[in-house]
Amino acid sequence: MVATALLVGACVSAHAADAKETYDKSCAKCHGPDGKGQTKMGQKLGLKDLSDAKVQADLTDAAITKSIKEGVTDKEGKVVMKPAEGLSDDDIKGLVAQVRSFKK
């Protein structure tokens, strides 16, 4: 029983580490390492501060998932965020959890 709990805990920790690594590699260049969007590209695109409690409250997991899977376009239809490629549903769930971890 204890071994099972330790194994599950290790898997969750590994999954969280993988999500952070994926975020750092694919998302942080625009959204920033802390989700605040205070990067050159993030400021240019006017990205929301993902650490803001109100932004987090207004953002559903489904919306985050859709943005990751389908990308994001602006009002004119210009692609401002490409869809993520090569991510499993579990990878995307991990990224959603990573975004949620920025909430203050």
Side-chain angles (χ1 to χ4, degrees):
M1 190 97 142
V2 172
T4 302
L6 289 174
L7 181 61
V8 169
C11 289
V12 170
S13 294
H15 186 67
D18 291 345
K20 180 168 178 9
E21 183 178 316
T22 300
Y23 179 87
D24 289 345
K25 183 177 134 195
S26 302
C27 311
K29 60 187 159 224
C30 295
H31 290 282
D34 54 5
K36 292 185 178 193
Q38 296 300 306
T39 63
K40 188 174 182 178
M41 186 58 76
Q43 291 175 334
K44 179 180 176 184
L45 295 172
L47 297 182
K48 294 179 181 176
D49 179 352
L50 298 174
S51 70
D52 183 272
K54 175 146 176 40
V55 170
Q56 287 272 346
D58 292 342
L59 196 59
T60 66
D61 289 358
I64 299 169
T65 298
K66 182 177 180 185
S67 295
I68 295 168
K69 283 185 173 185
E70 299 177 15
V72 178
T73 56
D74 64 14
K75 293 175 184 169
E76 290 81 41
K78 181 181 174 191
V79 174
V80 293
M81 184 177 117
K82 294 179 183 177
E85 296 179 0
L87 296 179
S88 69
D89 287 343
D90 283 342
D91 292 335
I92 293 171
K93 286 178 188 174
L95 283 174
V96 171
Q98 182 66 31
V99 168
R100 293 297 184 201
S101 76
F102 295 132
K103 182 180 174 184
K104 290 181 181 175

Coordinates of all heavy atoms in Angstrom, one line a residue:
M1 N 0.8 -1.2 0.0 CA 0.0 0.0 0.0 C 0.9 1.3 0.0 O 0.6 2.2 -0.8 CB -0.9 0.0 1.2 CG -2.0 1.0 1.2 SD -3.4 0.3 0.6 CE -4.7 1.0 1.5
V2 N 1.9 1.3 0.9 CA 2.8 2.4 0.9 C 3.6 2.5 -0.4 O 3.8 3.6 -0.9 CB 3.7 2.3 2.1 CG1 4.8 3.4 2.1 CG2 2.9 2.4 3.4
A3 N 4.0 1.4 -0.9 CA 4.7 1.4 -2.2 C 3.9 2.0 -3.3 O 4.4 2.7 -4.1 CB 5.2 0.0 -2.5
T4 N 2.6 1.6 -3.3 CA 1.7 2.2 -4.3 C 1.6 3.7 -4.2 O 1.7 4.4 -5.2 CB 0.3 1.5 -4.2 OG1 0.5 0.1 -4.4 CG2 -0.6 2.1 -5.3
A5 N 1.5 4.2 -3.0 CA 1.4 5.6 -2.8 C 2.7 6.3 -3.2 O 2.6 7.4 -3.8 CB 1.1 5.9 -1.3
L6 N 3.8 5.7 -2.9 CA 5.1 6.3 -3.3 C 5.2 6.3 -4.8 O 5.7 7.3 -5.4 CB 6.2 5.5 -2.7 CG 6.4 5.7 -1.2 CD1 7.5 4.8 -0.7 CD2 6.8 7.1 -0.8
L7 N 4.8 5.2 -5.5 CA 4.9 5.1 -6.9 C 4.0 6.2 -7.6 O 4.4 6.9 -8.5 CB 4.5 3.7 -7.4 CG 4.5 3.5 -8.9 CD1 5.9 3.7 -9.4 CD2 4.0 2.1 -9.2
V8 N 2.7 6.3 -7.1 CA 1.8 7.3 -7.6 C 2.4 8.7 -7.4 O 2.4 9.6 -8.3 CB 0.4 7.2 -7.0 CG1 -0.4 8.4 -7.3 CG2 -0.2 5.9 -7.4
G9 N 2.9 9.0 -6.2 CA 3.6 10.3 -5.9 C 4.7 10.5 -6.9 O 4.9 11.7 -7.4
A10 N 5.5 9.5 -7.1 CA 6.7 9.7 -8.0 C 6.2 10.0 -9.5 O 6.8 10.8 -10.1 CB 7.6 8.5 -8.0
C11 N 5.2 9.3 -9.9 CA 4.6 9.6 -11.2 C 4.1 11.0 -11.3 O 4.3 11.6 -12.3 CB 3.5 8.5 -11.6 SG 4.2 6.9 -11.8
V12 N 3.3 11.4 -10.3 CA 2.8 12.8 -10.3 C 3.9 13.8 -10.4 O 3.9 14.8 -11.1 CB 1.9 13.0 -9.1 CG1 1.5 14.5 -9.0 CG2 0.6 12.1 -9.2
S13 N 5.0 13.6 -9.6 CA 6.1 14.5 -9.6 C 6.8 14.5 -10.9 O 7.2 15.6 -11.4 CB 7.1 14.1 -8.5 OG 6.5 14.3 -7.2
A14 N 7.0 13.3 -11.5 CA 7.6 13.2 -12.8 C 6.8 13.9 -13.9 O 7.3 14.6 -14.7 CB 7.8 11.8 -13.2
H15 N 5.4 13.7 -13.8 CA 4.5 14.4 -14.7 C 4.6 15.9 -14.6 O 4.6 16.6 -15.6 CB 3.1 13.8 -14.5 CG 2.1 14.3 -15.5 ND1 2.2 13.9 -16.8 CD2 1.1 15.1 -15.4 CE1 1.2 14.5 -17.5 NE2 0.5 15.3 -16.7
A16 N 4.6 16.4 -13.4 CA 4.7 17.8 -13.2 C 6.0 18.4 -13.7 O 6.1 19.4 -14.3 CB 4.6 18.1 -11.7
A17 N 7.1 17.6 -13.5 CA 8.4 18.0 -14.0 C 8.4 18.1 -15.5 O 9.0 19.0 -16.1 CB 9.5 17.1 -13.5
D18 N 7.8 17.1 -16.2 CA 7.7 17.0 -17.6 C 6.9 18.2 -18.1 O 7.2 18.8 -19.1 CB 7.0 15.7 -18.1 CG 7.9 14.5 -17.9 OD1 9.1 14.7 -17.6 OD2 7.3 13.4 -18.0
A19 N 5.8 18.6 -17.4 CA 4.9 19.7 -17.9 C 5.7 21.0 -17.7 O 5.7 21.8 -18.6 CB 3.7 19.7 -17.0
K20 N 6.5 21.2 -16.7 CA 7.3 22.4 -16.5 C 8.3 22.5 -17.6 O 8.6 23.5 -18.2 CB 7.9 22.4 -15.1 CG 8.8 23.7 -14.9 CD 9.2 23.9 -13.5 CE 10.1 25.1 -13.3 NZ 10.3 26.0 -14.4
E21 N 9.0 21.3 -17.9 CA 10.0 21.3 -19.0 C 9.3 21.7 -20.3 O 9.9 22.5 -21.1 CB 10.6 19.9 -19.0 CG 11.7 19.8 -20.0 CD 12.4 18.4 -20.0 OE1 12.6 17.9 -19.0 OE2 12.6 17.9 -21.1
T22 N 8.2 21.1 -20.6 CA 7.5 21.4 -21.9 C 7.1 22.9 -21.9 O 7.3 23.6 -22.9 CB 6.2 20.6 -22.0 OG1 6.6 19.2 -22.0 CG2 5.5 20.9 -23.3
Y23 N 6.6 23.4 -20.8 CA 6.2 24.9 -20.7 C 7.4 25.7 -20.9 O 7.4 26.7 -21.7 CB 5.6 25.2 -19.3 CG 5.2 26.6 -19.2 CD1 4.0 27.1 -19.6 CD2 6.2 27.6 -18.7 CE1 3.7 28.5 -19.6 CE2 5.9 28.9 -18.7 CZ 4.7 29.4 -19.1 OH 4.4 30.7 -19.1
D24 N 8.5 25.4 -20.2 CA 9.8 26.2 -20.3 C 10.3 26.2 -21.8 O 10.7 27.2 -22.3 CB 10.8 25.7 -19.4 CG 10.5 26.0 -17.9 OD1 9.7 26.8 -17.6 OD2 11.2 25.4 -17.1
K25 N 10.1 25.1 -22.4 CA 10.6 24.9 -23.8 C 9.7 25.6 -24.8 O 10.2 26.2 -25.8 CB 10.8 23.4 -24.1 CG 11.4 23.1 -25.5 CD 11.6 21.6 -25.7 CE 11.0 21.2 -27.0 NZ 10.8 19.8 -27.2
S26 N 8.4 25.4 -24.7 CA 7.5 25.8 -25.7 C 6.6 27.1 -25.4 O 6.1 27.7 -26.4 CB 6.5 24.7 -26.0 OG 7.2 23.5 -26.4
C27 N 6.5 27.4 -24.2 CA 5.5 28.5 -23.8 C 6.2 29.7 -23.2 O 5.7 30.8 -23.4 CB 4.5 28.0 -22.9 SG 3.7 26.4 -23.4
A28 N 7.3 29.5 -22.4 CA 7.9 30.6 -21.6 C 8.4 31.7 -22.5 O 8.5 32.9 -22.0 CB 8.9 30.0 -20.7
K29 N 8.8 31.4 -23.7 CA 9.4 32.5 -24.6 C 8.4 33.6 -24.8 O 8.8 34.8 -24.9 CB 9.9 31.9 -25.9 CG 8.9 31.3 -26.7 CD 9.6 30.6 -27.9 CE 8.7 29.6 -28.5 NZ 9.4 28.3 -28.8
C30 N 7.1 33.4 -24.7 CA 6.1 34.4 -24.9 C 5.4 34.7 -23.5 O 5.3 35.9 -23.1 CB 5.0 34.0 -25.9 SG 5.7 33.9 -27.6
H31 N 5.0 33.6 -22.8 CA 4.2 33.8 -21.6 C 5.1 34.1 -20.4 O 4.6 34.5 -19.3 CB 3.4 32.6 -21.3 CG 2.3 32.4 -22.3 ND1 1.1 33.1 -22.2 CD2 2.1 31.6 -23.4 CE1 0.3 32.8 -23.2 NE2 0.9 31.9 -23.9
G32 N 6.4 33.9 -20.5 CA 7.4 34.1 -19.4 C 7.5 32.9 -18.5 O 6.5 32.1 -18.4
P33 N 8.6 32.8 -17.8 CA 8.7 31.6 -16.9 C 7.7 31.6 -15.7 O 7.5 30.6 -15.2 CB 10.2 31.8 -16.4 CG 10.5 33.2 -16.6 CD 9.7 33.7 -17.8
D34 N 7.2 32.8 -15.4 CA 6.2 32.9 -14.3 C 4.8 33.1 -14.8 O 3.9 33.3 -14.0 CB 6.6 34.1 -13.4 CG 6.8 35.4 -14.2 OD1 6.5 35.4 -15.4 OD2 7.2 36.4 -13.6
G35 N 4.6 33.1 -16.2 CA 3.2 33.2 -16.7 C 2.7 34.6 -16.8 O 1.6 34.9 -17.2
K36 N 3.6 35.6 -16.5 CA 3.1 37.0 -16.5 C 3.1 37.7 -17.9 O 2.6 38.7 -18.0 CB 4.0 37.8 -15.5 CG 3.8 37.4 -14.1 CD 4.5 38.3 -13.1 CE 4.2 37.8 -11.7 NZ 4.7 38.8 -10.7
G37 N 3.7 37.0 -18.8 CA 3.7 37.6 -20.2 C 4.6 38.8 -20.4 O 4.5 39.5 -21.3
Q38 N 5.5 39.0 -19.4 CA 6.4 40.1 -19.5 C 7.7 39.8 -20.3 O 8.8 40.1 -19.8 CB 6.7 40.6 -18.1 CG 5.5 41.1 -17.3 CD 4.9 42.3 -18.0 OE1 5.5 43.3 -18.3 NE2 3.6 42.2 -18.3
T39 N 7.5 39.2 -21.4 CA 8.6 39.0 -22.4 C 8.4 40.0 -23.5 O 7.4 40.6 -23.7 CB 8.6 37.6 -22.9 OG1 7.4 37.4 -23.7 CG2 8.7 36.5 -21.8
K40 N 9.4 40.1 -24.3 CA 9.3 41.0 -25.5 C 8.1 40.6 -26.4 O 7.3 41.5 -26.7 CB 10.6 41.0 -26.3 CG 10.7 42.0 -27.4 CD 12.1 42.0 -28.1 CE 12.2 43.0 -29.1 NZ 13.5 43.1 -29.7
M41 N 8.0 39.4 -26.7 CA 6.9 38.9 -27.5 C 5.5 39.0 -26.7 O 4.5 39.3 -27.3 CB 7.1 37.5 -28.0 CG 6.1 37.0 -29.0 SD 5.9 38.0 -30.5 CE 7.3 37.5 -31.4
G42 N 5.6 38.6 -25.5 CA 4.4 38.7 -24.7 C 3.8 40.1 -24.6 O 2.6 40.3 -24.7
Q43 N 4.7 41.1 -24.4 CA 4.2 42.4 -24.4 C 3.7 42.9 -25.7 O 2.7 43.6 -25.8 CB 5.3 43.3 -23.9 CG 5.6 43.1 -22.4 CD 6.8 43.9 -21.9 OE1 7.7 44.2 -22.7 NE2 6.8 44.1 -20.6
K44 N 4.4 42.5 -26.8 CA 4.0 42.8 -28.2 C 2.6 42.3 -28.4 O 1.7 43.0 -29.1 CB 5.0 42.3 -29.2 CG 4.6 42.6 -30.6 CD 5.6 42.0 -31.6 CE 5.2 42.2 -33.0 NZ 6.1 41.6 -33.9
L45 N 2.3 41.1 -28.0 CA 1.0 40.4 -28.2 C -0.1 40.8 -27.2 O -1.2 40.5 -27.3 CB 1.2 38.9 -28.2 CG 2.0 38.3 -29.4 CD1 2.3 36.9 -29.1 CD2 1.4 38.6 -30.7
G46 N 0.4 41.5 -26.1 CA -0.6 41.9 -25.1 C -1.1 40.8 -24.3 O -2.3 40.7 -24.0
L47 N -0.3 39.8 -24.0 CA -0.7 38.6 -23.3 C -1.2 38.9 -21.9 O -0.6 39.8 -21.2 CB 0.4 37.6 -23.2 CG 0.9 37.0 -24.6 CD1 2.0 36.0 -24.4 CD2 -0.2 36.5 -25.4
K48 N -2.1 38.2 -21.4 CA -2.7 38.3 -20.1 C -1.7 37.7 -19.1 O -0.9 36.8 -19.4 CB -4.0 37.6 -20.0 CG -5.1 38.2 -20.8 CD -6.4 37.5 -20.7 CE -7.4 38.1 -21.6 NZ -8.7 37.4 -21.5
D49 N -1.7 38.3 -17.9 CA -0.9 37.8 -16.8 C -1.6 36.6 -16.2 O -2.6 36.7 -15.5 CB -0.8 38.9 -15.7 CG 0.0 38.5 -14.5 OD1 0.4 37.3 -14.4 OD2 0.3 39.4 -13.7
L50 N -1.0 35.4 -16.5 CA -1.6 34.1 -16.0 C -1.4 33.9 -14.5 O -1.9 33.0 -14.0 CB -0.9 33.0 -16.8 CG -1.2 33.0 -18.3 CD1 -0.4 31.9 -19.0 CD2 -2.7 32.9 -18.6
S51 N -0.7 34.8 -13.8 CA -0.6 34.7 -12.4 C -1.7 35.5 -11.7 O -1.8 35.4 -10.5 CB 0.8 35.2 -11.9 OG 0.9 36.6 -12.0
D52 N -2.4 36.3 -12.4 CA -3.5 37.1 -11.9 C -4.7 36.3 -11.5 O -5.2 35.5 -12.4 CB -3.9 38.2 -12.9 CG -4.9 39.1 -12.4 OD1 -6.1 38.8 -12.5 OD2 -4.5 40.2 -11.8
A53 N -5.2 36.4 -10.3 CA -6.3 35.5 -9.9 C -7.6 35.8 -10.7 O -8.3 34.8 -11.0 CB -6.6 35.8 -8.4
K54 N -7.8 37.0 -11.2 CA -9.0 37.2 -12.0 C -8.9 36.6 -13.4 O -9.8 36.0 -13.9 CB -9.3 38.8 -12.1 CG -10.4 39.1 -13.1 CD -11.2 40.3 -12.7 CE -12.3 40.6 -13.6 NZ -13.1 39.6 -14.2
V55 N -7.7 36.7 -13.9 CA -7.4 36.1 -15.2 C -7.7 34.6 -15.1 O -8.3 33.9 -15.9 CB -6.0 36.4 -15.8 CG1 -5.7 35.5 -17.0 CG2 -5.9 37.9 -16.1
Q56 N -7.1 34.0 -14.0 CA -7.3 32.5 -13.8 C -8.7 32.2 -13.6 O -9.2 31.2 -14.1 CB -6.5 32.1 -12.5 CG -5.0 32.1 -12.8 CD -4.5 30.8 -13.3 OE1 -5.2 29.8 -13.3 NE2 -3.3 30.8 -13.8
A57 N -9.5 33.0 -12.9 CA -10.9 32.7 -12.7 C -11.7 32.8 -14.0 O -12.7 32.0 -14.1 CB -11.5 33.7 -11.6
D58 N -11.3 33.7 -14.9 CA -12.1 33.8 -16.1 C -11.6 32.8 -17.2 O -12.3 32.7 -18.2 CB -11.8 35.2 -16.7 CG -12.5 36.3 -15.8 OD1 -13.4 36.0 -15.0 OD2 -12.1 37.5 -16.0
L59 N -10.5 32.1 -16.9 CA -10.0 31.1 -17.9 C -10.3 29.7 -17.5 O -9.9 29.2 -16.4 CB -8.5 31.3 -17.9 CG -7.6 30.8 -19.0 CD1 -8.1 31.3 -20.4 CD2 -6.2 31.1 -18.8
T60 N -11.1 29.0 -18.3 CA -11.4 27.6 -18.0 C -10.4 26.7 -18.5 O -9.6 27.0 -19.4 CB -12.8 27.3 -18.7 OG1 -12.6 27.3 -20.2 CG2 -13.9 28.2 -18.3
D61 N -10.3 25.5 -17.9 CA -9.4 24.5 -18.4 C -9.7 24.1 -19.8 O -8.7 23.9 -20.6 CB -9.5 23.2 -17.5 CG -9.0 23.4 -16.1 OD1 -8.4 24.5 -15.8 OD2 -9.1 22.4 -15.3
A62 N -10.9 24.1 -20.2 CA -11.3 23.8 -21.6 C -10.7 24.9 -22.6 O -10.2 24.5 -23.6 CB -12.8 23.7 -21.7
A63 N -10.8 26.1 -22.1 CA -10.2 27.2 -23.0 C -8.7 27.1 -23.1 O -8.2 27.3 -24.2 CB -10.6 28.6 -22.4
I64 N -8.0 26.7 -22.0 CA -6.6 26.6 -22.1 C -6.2 25.4 -23.0 O -5.4 25.5 -23.9 CB -6.0 26.3 -20.7 CG1 -6.3 27.5 -19.7 CG2 -4.5 26.0 -20.7 CD1 -6.0 27.2 -18.3
T65 N -7.0 24.3 -22.8 CA -6.7 23.1 -23.6 C -7.0 23.4 -25.1 O -6.1 23.0 -26.0 CB -7.7 22.0 -23.2 OG1 -7.4 21.6 -21.8 CG2 -7.5 20.7 -24.1
K66 N -8.0 24.1 -25.4 CA -8.3 24.5 -26.8 C -7.2 25.3 -27.4 O -6.8 25.1 -28.5 CB -9.7 25.2 -26.9 CG -10.1 25.6 -28.3 CD -11.4 26.2 -28.4 CE -11.7 26.6 -29.8 NZ -12.9 27.3 -30.0
S67 N -6.7 26.3 -26.6 CA -5.6 27.2 -27.1 C -4.4 26.4 -27.4 O -3.7 26.6 -28.4 CB -5.3 28.2 -26.1 OG -6.4 29.1 -25.9
I68 N -4.1 25.4 -26.5 CA -2.9 24.6 -26.7 C -3.1 23.7 -28.0 O -2.2 23.6 -28.8 CB -2.6 23.7 -25.5 CG1 -2.2 24.6 -24.3 CG2 -1.5 22.7 -25.8 CD1 -2.2 23.9 -23.0
K69 N -4.2 23.1 -28.1 CA -4.5 22.1 -29.2 C -4.7 22.8 -30.6 O -4.2 22.3 -31.6 CB -5.7 21.3 -28.9 CG -5.5 20.2 -27.9 CD -6.8 19.3 -27.8 CE -6.5 18.1 -26.9 NZ -7.7 17.2 -26.9
E70 N -5.4 23.9 -30.6 CA -5.8 24.6 -31.8 C -5.1 25.9 -32.1 O -5.2 26.4 -33.2 CB -7.3 24.9 -31.8 CG -8.2 23.6 -31.6 CD -9.6 23.9 -31.5 OE1 -10.1 25.0 -31.8 OE2 -10.4 23.0 -31.1
G71 N -4.3 26.4 -31.2 CA -3.7 27.6 -31.3 C -4.6 28.8 -31.1 O -5.8 28.6 -30.8
V72 N -4.2 30.0 -31.3 CA -5.0 31.2 -31.1 C -4.8 32.2 -32.2 O -3.6 32.4 -32.7 CB -4.5 31.9 -29.7 CG1 -5.3 33.2 -29.5 CG2 -4.7 30.9 -28.6
T73 N -5.8 32.8 -32.7 CA -5.8 33.8 -33.7 C -6.3 35.1 -33.1 O -7.1 35.1 -32.2 CB -6.6 33.4 -34.9 OG1 -7.9 33.2 -34.6 CG2 -6.0 32.2 -35.6
D74 N -5.9 36.2 -33.7 CA -6.4 37.5 -33.3 C -7.7 37.8 -34.0 O -8.2 37.0 -34.8 CB -5.4 38.6 -33.4 CG -5.0 38.9 -34.9 OD1 -5.7 38.4 -35.8 OD2 -4.0 39.6 -35.1
K75 N -8.2 39.0 -33.8 CA -9.5 39.4 -34.4 C -9.5 39.4 -35.9 O -10.5 39.2 -36.5 CB -10.0 40.8 -33.9 CG -10.3 40.8 -32.4 CD -10.6 42.1 -31.9 CE -10.8 42.1 -30.4 NZ -10.9 43.4 -29.8
E76 N -8.3 39.6 -36.5 CA -8.2 39.6 -37.9 C -7.9 38.2 -38.5 O -7.7 38.1 -39.7 CB -7.1 40.6 -38.4 CG -7.4 42.1 -38.2 CD -7.2 42.5 -36.7 OE1 -6.2 42.1 -36.1 OE2 -8.1 43.3 -36.2
G77 N -7.8 37.2 -37.6 CA -7.5 35.9 -38.1 C -6.1 35.5 -38.2 O -5.7 34.5 -38.6
K78 N -5.2 36.5 -37.7 CA -3.8 36.2 -37.8 C -3.4 35.3 -36.6 O -3.8 35.5 -35.5 CB -3.0 37.5 -37.6 CG -1.5 37.4 -37.7 CD -0.8 38.7 -37.5 CE 0.7 38.5 -37.4 NZ 1.4 39.7 -37.0
V79 N -2.6 34.3 -36.9 CA -2.1 33.3 -35.9 C -1.2 34.0 -34.9 O -0.2 34.6 -35.3 CB -1.4 32.1 -36.5 CG1 -0.9 31.2 -35.4 CG2 -2.4 31.3 -37.4
V80 N -1.6 34.1 -33.6 CA -0.7 34.6 -32.6 C -0.1 33.6 -31.7 O 0.9 33.8 -31.0 CB -1.5 35.7 -31.7 CG1 -1.8 36.9 -32.6 CG2 -2.7 35.1 -31.1
M81 N -0.7 32.4 -31.8 CA -0.1 31.2 -31.1 C -0.4 30.0 -31.9 O -1.5 29.7 -32.2 CB -0.7 31.1 -29.7 CG 0.0 29.9 -28.9 SD -0.7 29.8 -27.2 CE -1.4 28.2 -27.3
K82 N 0.7 29.3 -32.3 CA 0.5 28.1 -33.1 C 0.0 27.0 -32.2 O 0.3 26.9 -31.0 CB 1.9 27.7 -33.7 CG 2.4 28.7 -34.8 CD 3.7 28.2 -35.3 CE 4.2 29.2 -36.3 NZ 5.5 28.8 -36.8
P83 N -0.7 26.0 -32.8 CA -1.1 24.8 -32.0 C 0.1 24.0 -31.6 O 1.1 24.0 -32.4 CB -2.0 24.0 -33.0 CG -2.0 24.8 -34.2 CD -1.2 26.0 -34.2
A84 N 0.1 23.5 -30.4 CA 1.2 22.6 -30.0 C 1.2 21.3 -30.8 O 0.1 20.8 -31.1 CB 1.1 22.3 -28.5
E85 N 2.3 20.9 -31.1 CA 2.4 19.6 -31.9 C 3.1 18.5 -31.1 O 4.0 18.8 -30.3 CB 3.2 19.9 -33.2 CG 2.5 20.8 -34.1 CD 3.3 21.1 -35.4 OE1 4.4 20.5 -35.6 OE2 2.8 21.8 -36.2
G86 N 2.6 17.3 -31.3 CA 3.3 16.2 -30.6 C 3.0 16.0 -29.2 O 3.8 15.3 -28.5
L87 N 2.0 16.7 -28.7 CA 1.7 16.5 -27.2 C 0.5 15.6 -27.1 O -0.5 15.6 -27.8 CB 1.3 17.9 -26.6 CG 2.4 18.9 -26.6 CD1 1.8 20.2 -26.0 CD2 3.6 18.4 -25.8
S88 N 0.6 14.7 -26.1 CA -0.5 13.8 -25.8 C -1.6 14.5 -24.9 O -1.3 15.7 -24.5 CB 0.0 12.6 -25.0 OG 0.4 13.0 -23.7
D89 N -2.7 13.9 -24.7 CA -3.7 14.6 -23.9 C -3.2 14.7 -22.5 O -3.5 15.7 -21.8 CB -5.0 13.7 -23.9 CG -5.8 13.8 -25.1 OD1 -5.5 14.8 -25.9 OD2 -6.7 13.0 -25.4
D90 N -2.4 13.8 -22.0 CA -1.8 13.9 -20.7 C -0.8 15.1 -20.6 O -0.7 15.8 -19.6 CB -1.1 12.6 -20.3 CG -2.0 11.5 -19.8 OD1 -3.2 11.9 -19.5 OD2 -1.6 10.3 -19.8
D91 N 0.0 15.2 -21.7 CA 0.9 16.4 -21.8 C 0.1 17.7 -21.7 O 0.6 18.6 -20.9 CB 1.7 16.4 -23.1 CG 2.7 15.2 -23.2 OD1 3.1 14.7 -22.2 OD2 3.0 14.9 -24.4
I92 N -1.0 17.8 -22.3 CA -1.8 19.0 -22.3 C -2.4 19.2 -21.0 O -2.4 20.3 -20.5 CB -2.8 18.9 -23.5 CG1 -2.1 19.0 -24.8 CG2 -3.8 20.1 -23.3 CD1 -3.0 18.8 -26.0
K93 N -2.9 18.1 -20.3 CA -3.4 18.3 -19.0 C -2.3 18.8 -18.0 O -2.5 19.6 -17.1 CB -3.9 16.9 -18.4 CG -5.2 16.5 -19.0 CD -5.6 15.2 -18.5 CE -6.9 14.7 -19.3 NZ -7.2 13.3 -18.9
G94 N -1.1 18.3 -18.2 CA 0.1 18.8 -17.4 C 0.3 20.3 -17.7 O 0.6 21.0 -16.7
L95 N 0.2 20.7 -18.9 CA 0.4 22.2 -19.2 C -0.7 23.0 -18.6 O -0.4 24.1 -18.1 CB 0.5 22.4 -20.7 CG 1.8 22.0 -21.4 CD1 1.6 22.2 -22.9 CD2 2.9 22.9 -20.9
V96 N -1.9 22.5 -18.6 CA -3.0 23.2 -17.9 C -2.7 23.3 -16.5 O -2.9 24.4 -15.9 CB -4.4 22.5 -18.2 CG1 -5.5 23.1 -17.3 CG2 -4.8 22.5 -19.6
A97 N -2.3 22.3 -15.8 CA -1.9 22.3 -14.4 C -0.7 23.3 -14.2 O -0.7 24.0 -13.2 CB -1.5 20.9 -13.9
Q98 N 0.2 23.4 -15.1 CA 1.3 24.3 -15.0 C 0.8 25.7 -15.1 O 1.2 26.6 -14.3 CB 2.3 24.1 -16.2 CG 3.5 24.9 -16.1 CD 4.4 24.7 -14.9 OE1 4.5 23.6 -14.4 NE2 5.1 25.7 -14.5
V99 N -0.1 26.0 -16.0 CA -0.7 27.4 -16.1 C -1.4 27.7 -14.8 O -1.3 28.8 -14.2 CB -1.7 27.5 -17.3 CG1 -2.5 28.7 -17.2 CG2 -0.9 27.4 -18.6
R100 N -2.1 26.7 -14.2 CA -2.9 26.9 -13.0 C -1.9 27.2 -11.8 O -2.2 27.9 -10.9 CB -3.8 25.7 -12.6 CG -4.9 25.6 -13.6 CD -5.8 26.7 -13.5 NE -7.0 26.5 -14.4 CZ -7.8 27.5 -14.8 NH1 -7.5 28.8 -14.5 NH2 -8.8 27.2 -15.6
S101 N -0.7 26.6 -11.9 CA 0.3 26.8 -10.8 C 0.8 28.3 -10.7 O 1.3 28.6 -9.7 CB 1.5 25.9 -11.0 OG 2.3 26.3 -12.0
F102 N 0.5 29.1 -11.7 CA 1.0 30.5 -11.6 C 0.1 31.4 -10.8 O 0.5 32.5 -10.4 CB 1.1 31.0 -13.0 CG 2.1 30.4 -13.9 CD1 1.8 30.0 -15.2 CD2 3.4 30.2 -13.5 CE1 2.7 29.4 -16.0 CE2 4.3 29.6 -14.3 CZ 4.0 29.2 -15.6
K103 N -1.1 30.9 -10.5 CA -2.1 31.7 -9.8 C -1.5 32.1 -8.4 O -1.0 31.3 -7.7 CB -3.4 31.0 -9.6 CG -4.4 31.8 -8.9 CD -5.7 31.0 -8.7 CE -6.7 31.7 -7.9 NZ -7.9 30.9 -7.6
K104 N -1.6 33.4 -8.1 CA -1.1 33.9 -6.8 C -2.2 33.7 -5.8 O -3.3 33.7 -6.0 CB -0.9 35.4 -6.9 CG 0.3 35.7 -7.8 CD 0.5 37.3 -7.8 CE 1.7 37.6 -8.7 NZ 1.8 39.0 -8.9

